[in-house]
Amino acid sequence: VPARVRIVRVQPDTQRVIVGTSAPLTVTALDARGVAVAGRTVRWSSSNASVATVSSAGVVTAVSVGGPIQVAATIDSVVGSAV
C-alpha cells in the first residue's frame, strides 16, 4: 500500500524575486511519520499569475511588480505553499 501524503513542504518558504528573474522552489511530500514520499505528481500554482508565474518544475518567474503572492504545490490533494 503506497504511503499517504500528509504534509507538503515547499522550500524556501519565503522568496523574493525581481521582475525578469526566476528562482527555483523545491517540494517534499511527507507521510504521517514525517518520512519522505517519492514519485508523486506535483501541481504548482500562483495566486497572481500577472505578478509571478510558476512552471511545472517549480521555478517562479516575476513578470511584474506586485506582491506578495502565494505559490502552492499540491500533491494528492494536500497543499503546501510559499510566499
Side-chain angles (χ1 to χ4, degrees), residues 48-71:
N48 189 343
S50 67
V51 174
T53 60
V54 59
S55 73
S56 60
V59 177
V60 176
T61 301
V63 294
S64 68
V65 175
I69 61 120
Q70 184 175 35
V71 174

Side-chain angles (χ1 to χ4, degrees), residues 25-73:
L25 297 175
T26 60
V27 65
T28 305
L30 303 171
D31 67 12
R33 295 181 183 176
V35 176
V37 178
R40 302 299 171 89
T41 300
V42 181
R43 287 180 322 181
W44 292 94
S45 62
S46 168
S47 65
N48 189 343
S50 67
V51 174
T53 60
V54 59
S55 73
S56 60
V59 177
V60 176
T61 301
V63 294
S64 68
V65 175
I69 61 120
Q70 184 175 35
V71 174

Side-chain angles (χ1 to χ4, degrees), residues 1-7 29-33 35 37 40 76 78:
V1 174
R4 184 170 176 187
V5 174
R6 297 288 186 171
I7 299 168
L30 303 171
D31 67 12
R33 295 181 183 176
V35 176
V37 178
R40 302 299 171 89
D76 294 351
V78 180

